[in-house]
Amino acid sequence: MTPHGKKMIAPVIITVLFLLYLFVYFASLLQAASAEPVAILFAVPLAALGIGSIYTLYTRIREIRSGEEDDLDNY
């Protein structure tokens, strides 16, 4: 495993668990909602959260690979 590989494990695991939680939450909403417009209304924010978490994971992996592991040092 690369030196930076160990530092990438936690963000990937947290993101996968969060996306799994969002998927289960959305599936339960689909089951409970009898009307489809309501499900679509809830799907948009959940999809935005999923896309945002994937983007955050992408930027975190880029930071780890570049060696910039702690952003607080910049401020």
Side-chain angles (χ1 to χ4, degrees), residues 9-50:
I9 293 173
V12 169
I13 290 174
I14 296 299
T15 303
V16 167
L17 289 175
F18 182 68
L19 291 174
L20 183 66
Y21 172 76
L22 285 179
F23 178 74
V24 169
Y25 184 70
F26 180 67
S28 66
L29 281 176
L30 280 179
Q31 243 180 358
S34 60
E36 287 187 26
V38 174
I40 293 173
L41 201 100
F42 285 110
V44 172
L46 291 177
L49 282 173

Side-chain angles (χ1 to χ4, degrees), residues 46-63:
L46 291 177
L49 282 173
I51 291 169
S53 65
I54 291 171
Y55 177 73
T56 303
L57 175 66
Y58 172 72
T59 57
R60 181 66 183 140
I61 288 175
R62 272 196 356 216
E63 288 173 358

